[in-house]
């Protein structure tokens, strides 16, 4: 049971480039989320999903897309990276009837 | 709108002494309250939560938190700090009626336990 996994661990992008941050969980959790963590701002919700085929926007969705084709995977796409997207990104999942979230180890993204 | 405040960016405590990390919240209804811990270069780990019931909640690694409705606080405590407790601690809140997406995290408090 690997829990929540994220790849890559670290990525450097140039402005305008695109990339996908991968997130997978093997706990059969219905709910999955993407957060970004910035100094002095805590965690902010980007997008979330309550099940396969269902996604919705969080607090800071601009510049990011998501999809949820399977229960296990929840990739986050940056279509045209901007320096403002330099951050640490965390994926989290939880069971629908539980409030406790399980977080992945994070992806550190630097946009130049 | 709901919010959570962690008034201290950093808390320093000597090993063996009791520690407190403060959290206050604001919600329109009844709150779900959480504490998470983040070790360097790691994701957040769940410590404890308050949903309803006893105001004193016990969690992992000897931590506990006291829910105080009148003061809208949920301070994290431990009777005797360990050097290994040094980490970043996040308080989070959700209004019962807020739905899945409405979890608000605090800005975090860095706990430094001094040997």
């Amino acid at each position: 049971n690997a829990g929540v996994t994220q790849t890559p661990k670290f990525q450097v992008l140039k402005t305008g480039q695109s990339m996908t941050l991968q997130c997978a969980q093997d706990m059969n959790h219905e709910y999955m989320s993407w957060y970004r963590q910035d100094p002095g701002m805590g965690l902010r919700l980007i997008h979330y999903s309550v099940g396969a085929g269902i996604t919705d926007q969080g607090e800071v969705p601009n510049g990011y897309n998501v999809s949820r084709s399977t229960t296990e995977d929840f990739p986050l796409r940056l279509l045209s990276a901007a320096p403002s997207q330099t951050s640490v990104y965390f994926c989290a999942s939880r069971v629908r009837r539980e409030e406790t979230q399980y977080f992945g180890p994070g992806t550190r993204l630097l946009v130049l | 709108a709901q919010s959570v405040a962690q008034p201290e960016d950093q808390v320093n405590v000597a090993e063996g002494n009791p520690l407190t990390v403060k959290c206050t919240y604001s919600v329109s209804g009844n709150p779900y309250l959480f504490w998470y811990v983040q070790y360097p270069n790691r994701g957040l780990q769940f410590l404890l939560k308050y949903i309803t019931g006893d105001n004193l909640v016990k969690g992992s690694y000897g931590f506990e938190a006291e829910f105080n409705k009148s003061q809208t606080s949920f301070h994290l405590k431990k009777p005797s700090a360990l050097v290994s407790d040094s980490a970043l601690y996040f308080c989070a809140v959700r209004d019962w009626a807020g739905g899945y997406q409405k979890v608000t995290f605090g800005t975090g408090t860095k706990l430094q336990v001094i040997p």
Side-chain angles (χ1 to χ4, degrees):
Chain A
N1 191 329
V4 181
T5 58
Q6 293 183 239
T7 56
K9 290 184 179 180
F10 180 70
Q11 183 73 44
V12 179
L13 290 179
K14 294 181 179 179
T15 297
Q17 287 184 316
S18 63
M19 79 161 296
T20 298
L21 280 63
Q22 301 292 345
C23 173
Q25 53 91 10
D26 61 359
M27 299 174 284
N28 202 32
H29 287 176
E30 297 95 335
Y31 290 178
M32 297 186 74
S33 302
W34 276 103
Y35 293 89
R36 59 177 290 173
Q37 182 182 26
D38 302 293
M41 302 191 74
L43 275 73
R44 292 182 292 170
L45 183 65
I46 304 171
H47 285 286
Y48 67 98
S49 169
V50 298
I54 306 170
T55 64
D56 207 345
Q57 296 181 350
E59 181 184 357
V60 287
N62 292 341
Y64 308 94
N65 283 344
V66 292
S67 60
R68 183 102 180 265
S69 56
T70 66
T71 299
E72 294 78 19
D73 300 302
F74 191 45
L76 179 71
R77 297 183 184 84
L78 283 71
L79 299 179
S80 179
S84 61
Q85 294 178 304
T86 293
S87 187
V88 181
Y89 292 85
F90 289 101
C91 180
S93 71
R94 74 171 174 92
V95 178
R96 177 165 53 91
R97 296 181 179 179
E98 285 285 330
E99 292 294 327
T100 302
Q101 295 191 75
Y102 295 82
F103 286 82
T107 293
R108 190 173 298 271
L109 178 66
L110 175 62
V111 183
L112 301 175
Chain B
Q2 64 191 32
S3 65
V4 59
Q6 294 181 244
E8 302 154 318
D9 291 336
Q10 182 160 336
V11 170
N12 297 321
V13 63
E15 186 177 23
N17 281 3
L19 70 87
T20 298
V21 182
K22 296 179 180 178
C23 173
T24 59
Y25 67 91
S26 174
V27 296
S28 57
N30 292 317
Y32 287 127
L33 292 156
F34 309 86
W35 277 101
Y36 287 85
V37 60
Q38 184 181 30
Y39 298 101
N41 300 312
R42 302 286 295 276
L44 277 70
Q45 297 178 29
F46 171 77
L47 272 181
L48 50 82
K49 65 183 176 185
Y50 172 82
I51 304 296
T52 187
D54 194 348
N55 289 344
L56 185 63
V57 179
K58 294 187 181 298
S60 306
Y61 312 120
F63 284 94
E64 59 188 25
E66 186 170 10
F67 171 64
N68 188 317
K69 188 172 184 177
S70 62
Q71 297 186 5
T72 61
S73 67
F74 190 56
H75 301 331
L76 181 70
K77 300 180 180 182
K78 187 174 183 181
S80 178
L82 301 173
V83 172
S84 58
D85 293 330
S86 298
L88 187 59
Y89 291 80
F90 289 94
C91 182
V93 66
R94 180 168 89 71
D95 190 318
W96 279 24
Y100 168 69
Q101 71 279 17
K102 295 294 186 183
V103 176
T104 300
F105 285 84
T107 54
T109 298
K110 183 178 180 180
L111 174 66
Q112 189 74 39
V113 181
I114 304 163

